[in-house]
Amino acid sequence: MKKCIVLLFLCSNLFVLGQSKKLTLTEAIEMAKKNSPEYQAVLNQSQGSYWRYRTYMAEFLPQFRLIATVPDYSNSIQRITNDEGQDIFVNQNQSRIDGQLAITQQVPFTGGDFSLISRLQRVDRYGDIESSNYSLTPFSINYYQNSLFFNPYKWDRQIEPLRYEESKREFIERMEDISLSSCQRYFSLLTAQMRLRNSQNNLATQDTLLQIAKGRFEIGKIAENELLQMELGHLNSQNEVTTNTISLKRTSQNLARYLELETEDIELFIPEKLVDFEVSVETALDEATNNRKSVIEFRRRRLEAERNLAQIKGTNRLEINVNANFGLNKRADEYDDLFQDFDRQQNVSVSLGIPIFDWGVSKSKRKMGEADLGLVETNIEQEQQAFEQEIYLHILNWSSKRDFLATSEKAKEIAIKRYQITKERYILGKITITDLNLAQQEKDKAELEYLNSLQNFWTDYYTLRKLTLYDFINNKKIEAENIIID
């Protein structure tokens, strides 16, 4: 009784370990979109783009910053300039404490930077005569603008949102790349499984027919040449089983690692049920124009070229920089005296830069910027034409795939039926082994061609999804999924 229980326990464990993972094409793609290494890379890139855009948006908000020096101590000989304009060396033994609170704000309408600063300083001198001094700036208003003729913030407000939208669409496109890669790996394993199954069936058939051939040879119904041909076919079938077993192991490992599966024993289903749907060139082009990353990329590249040209024009001829400051300050020997009778501080600086004669450098830079803009526009126009042509040709190619699929399916059915009839006729002794081998080869080829047509159909469909970012089966735009922002 105990032996029976132990035997049942071992058998149950072997059964569990031998269970295979059953997958459909849709399930494999969904698993890849959550578990594959490519998904992790896509997710990390998408998160980087998201935080870059968040940083850009935050830069237009007020920035608070505390800067402190606590303390700065020095005991050394320093060179200074006295009141008579002479350089002398003096012994400096002092410490400095400095604290500054600043609020900065970008001004997108002008392209300048506005800041409000409050600062407190203390200097302690040591030695024979010790003393302390204080300086207080309760507030200081500053405005700085690098150029009056070029506003970088205006261009950033047009370009950065496009860059972020481009990254979101790129995420969707790369997710479709994962679908396409999953489809290819799925059918690679499916093909390997079919090859192994066919070779195993052929080996079993060859084994049965070999026994029949040996019996016929013994009674003189067939020549030795035919028996040798049968034995050779049997050996070749054994080699095919070995080769296909290794191929199956390799492709199953590739798919299992890609999907992060715990088992390499995967059972796949042939996706034979096809949904009847139509794809028009006009719909595909419209969806691609509305959804693809390339359309946003074209606009961004054109704006970047226009920004570079505007920067050249704004800084190439007349340069005007503005720096203005207004505030209050106070210096005192006692801390309590800092908060009365403030002195006013103010300054305005406007600097000009005018090239008088630069040997045509300004003109050359402007012409280079105009040429770069023209080159970008030309490249964009050509890429847009290639973009539309790619979609158009792919739809024409894809529309024929369903016809090829129907033809190959019919050919598979005919080849299987012909092989069955041929095998029965060979058993009855009405045809030669050559005819049987030919029928077997045609059957195997027809089955693989049907599977290849099925792979081409689904591969082209997922390529079409990537080109348009549109789900034609469910008639809806493909949205971004699985984006996790921490």
Side-chain angles (χ1 to χ4, degrees):
M1 184 65 181
K2 292 183 178 179
K3 292 182 178 180
C4 294
I5 295 175
V6 172
L7 182 60
L8 290 174
F9 176 75
L10 292 175
C11 291
S12 63
N13 285 340
L14 290 174
F15 175 75
V16 172
L17 293 174
Q19 282 184 328
S20 62
K21 177 68 176 179
K22 297 182 179 181
L23 282 178
T24 64
L25 177 60
T26 303
E27 291 172 345
I29 290 175
E30 292 303 318
M31 292 182 65
K33 288 183 177 181
K34 298 177 182 178
N35 303 330
S36 67
E38 289 182 16
Y39 167 70
Q40 297 300 326
V42 172
L43 181 61
N44 291 335
Q45 180 179 353
S46 179
Q47 289 178 335
S49 300
Y50 169 79
W51 288 114
R52 169 177 174 163
Y53 183 70
R54 282 285 302 271
T55 301
Y56 155 75
M57 294 295 294
E59 288 175 349
F60 285 98
L61 301 176
Q63 308 293 317
F64 295 83
R65 184 175 180 84
L66 175 64
I67 304 173
T69 303
V70 285
D72 178 11
Y73 175 75
S74 174
N75 185 4
S76 61
I77 296 176
Q78 300 289 337
R79 187 186 67 177
I80 65 172
T81 302
N82 61 16
D83 295 340
E84 297 177 357
Q86 298 173 337
D87 288 346
I88 62 175
F89 292 96
V90 298
N91 183 35
Q92 188 180 73
N93 184 9
Q94 66 179 27
S95 67
R96 178 176 62 89
I97 298 177
D98 188 349
Q100 175 178 296
L101 179 64
I103 304 175
T104 60
Q105 172 68 60
Q106 294 180 353
V107 185
F109 301 104
T110 61
D113 295 294
F114 173 84
S115 62
L116 177 63
I117 300 174
S118 180
R119 185 175 187 181
L120 175 64
Q121 299 180 81
R122 171 178 170 168
V123 177
D124 294 311
R125 290 184 297 275
Y126 307 105
D128 297 335
I129 303 176
E130 296 185 354
S131 63
S132 299
N133 287 102
Y134 298 89
S135 174
L136 173 65
T137 303
F139 74 91
S140 175
I141 301 174
N142 300 275
Y143 179 80
Y144 173 76
Q145 184 161 338
N146 184 50
S147 175
L148 294 180
F149 302 105
F150 176 71
N151 183 353
Y153 302 145
K154 182 192 73 173
W155 291 98
D156 289 343
R157 290 171 73 91
Q158 299 181 66
I159 294 174
E160 289 301 325
L162 291 179
R163 193 186 303 275
Y164 180 52
E165 179 63 25
E166 183 181 343
S167 69
K168 291 194 293 184
R169 297 190 180 190
E170 183 179 8
F171 175 85
I172 303 175
E173 289 185 17
R174 294 192 61 183
M175 291 296 286
E176 291 305 306
D177 280 332
I178 294 176
S179 300
L180 186 59
S181 180
S182 303
C183 182
Q184 293 170 342
R185 294 171 187 267
Y186 185 92
F187 277 99
S188 293
L189 177 56
L190 199 59
T191 300
Q193 289 178 345
M194 176 172 286
R195 288 182 182 274
L196 178 59
R197 183 173 63 252
N198 286 346
S199 62
Q200 290 174 339
N201 292 337
N202 292 338
L203 178 60
T205 301
Q206 289 282 349
D207 187 68
T208 301
L209 296 180
L210 179 60
Q211 300 303 321
I212 295 175
K214 288 180 178 180
R216 290 178 178 177
F217 176 73
E218 290 178 356
I219 61 178
K221 287 189 175 181
I222 61 173
E224 183 179 8
N225 179 59
E226 186 171 346
L227 177 62
L228 293 175
Q229 186 177 357
M230 181 65 70
E231 291 178 345
L232 180 61
H234 185 267
L235 293 174
N236 290 335
S237 296
Q238 289 179 335
N239 292 336
E240 287 182 4
V241 170
T242 302
T243 301
N244 292 330
T245 300
I246 297 174
S247 177
L248 176 66
K249 184 69 174 178
R250 183 180 64 253
T251 52
S252 62
Q253 285 181 347
N254 290 339
L255 184 61
R257 286 197 301 266
Y258 191 72
L259 301 182
E260 296 291 337
L261 296 177
E262 297 180 356
T263 177
E264 297 175 4
D265 188 8
I266 308 172
E267 181 181 352
L268 304 182
F269 296 95
I270 298 178
E272 296 180 344
K273 294 183 179 180
L274 303 179
V275 181
D276 189 13
F277 61 96
E278 298 293 334
V279 179
S280 66
V281 177
E282 294 77 12
T283 302
L285 286 175
D286 290 341
E287 294 298 334
T289 302
N290 294 329
N291 304 334
R292 280 286 299 276
K293 177 198 75 170
S294 300
V295 179
I296 302 296
E297 180 187 356
F298 295 155
R299 292 166 56 189
R300 174 185 57 81
R301 287 165 53 189
R302 185 179 288 107
L303 281 174
E304 288 177 340
E306 292 175 354
R307 179 190 61 183
N308 294 336
L309 179 58
Q311 184 176 9
I312 292 173
K313 290 182 177 180
T315 59
N316 200 29
R317 292 182 178 178
L318 177 61
E319 298 180 10
I320 301 180
N321 301 328
V322 177
N323 188 14
N325 170 264
F326 173 80
L328 300 176
N329 61 6
K330 178 67 176 181
R331 182 186 66 84
D333 295 333
E334 299 293 335
Y335 180 78
D336 294 338
D337 297 337
L338 286 176
F339 302 95
Q340 54 187 349
D341 300 329
F342 290 105
D343 297 324
R344 186 171 61 180
Q345 65 170 8
Q346 58 187 13
N347 65 74
V348 176
S349 172
V350 179
S351 61
L352 300 177
I354 305 176
I356 298 177
F357 188 75
D358 60 359
W359 304 95
V361 173
S362 300
K363 180 179 179 181
S364 298
K365 289 182 178 179
R366 187 178 70 256
K367 292 297 184 181
M368 287 174 58
E370 293 173 352
D372 290 340
L373 176 59
L375 178 61
V376 169
E377 291 178 342
T378 301
N379 290 339
I380 289 176
E381 183 178 356
Q382 292 178 349
E383 291 176 19
Q384 192 166 5
Q385 291 177 355
F387 166 79
E388 295 176 355
Q389 185 179 19
E390 180 184 15
I391 296 175
Y392 177 75
L393 293 178
H394 187 80
I395 292 177
L396 290 181
N397 180 64
W398 179 85
S399 61
S400 63
K401 288 296 187 287
R402 189 181 292 270
D403 296 334
F404 283 126
L405 187 58
T407 303
S408 60
E409 184 177 14
K410 184 64 175 178
K412 181 192 70 170
E413 295 173 355
I414 293 174
I416 293 175
K417 185 176 181 180
R418 177 176 179 268
Y419 171 71
Q420 296 295 338
I421 295 174
T422 304
K423 185 173 68 171
E424 293 174 359
R425 294 188 65 192
Y426 176 79
I427 294 175
L428 296 175
K430 295 183 178 180
I431 59 174
T432 64
I433 187 61
T434 302
D435 296 327
L436 178 61
N437 290 337
L438 181 60
Q440 174 188 312
Q441 294 172 3
E442 290 179 348
K443 175 187 73 69
D444 294 346
K445 180 181 178 182
E447 289 180 332
L448 291 175
E449 285 184 350
Y450 168 71
L451 194 59
N452 185 58
S453 297
L454 199 60
Q455 178 180 358
N456 290 336
F457 175 85
W458 286 109
T459 299
D460 284 357
Y461 172 70
Y462 282 106
T463 302
L464 180 61
R465 280 171 54 107
K466 176 190 172 183
L467 292 176
T468 60
L469 298 186
Y470 189 79
D471 185 353
F472 290 92
I473 293 180
N474 298 310
N475 291 323
K476 66 177 183 178
K477 177 181 175 181
I478 301 176
E479 302 289 346
E481 298 178 355
N482 300 335
I483 300 180
I484 303 174
I485 304 299
D486 296 326

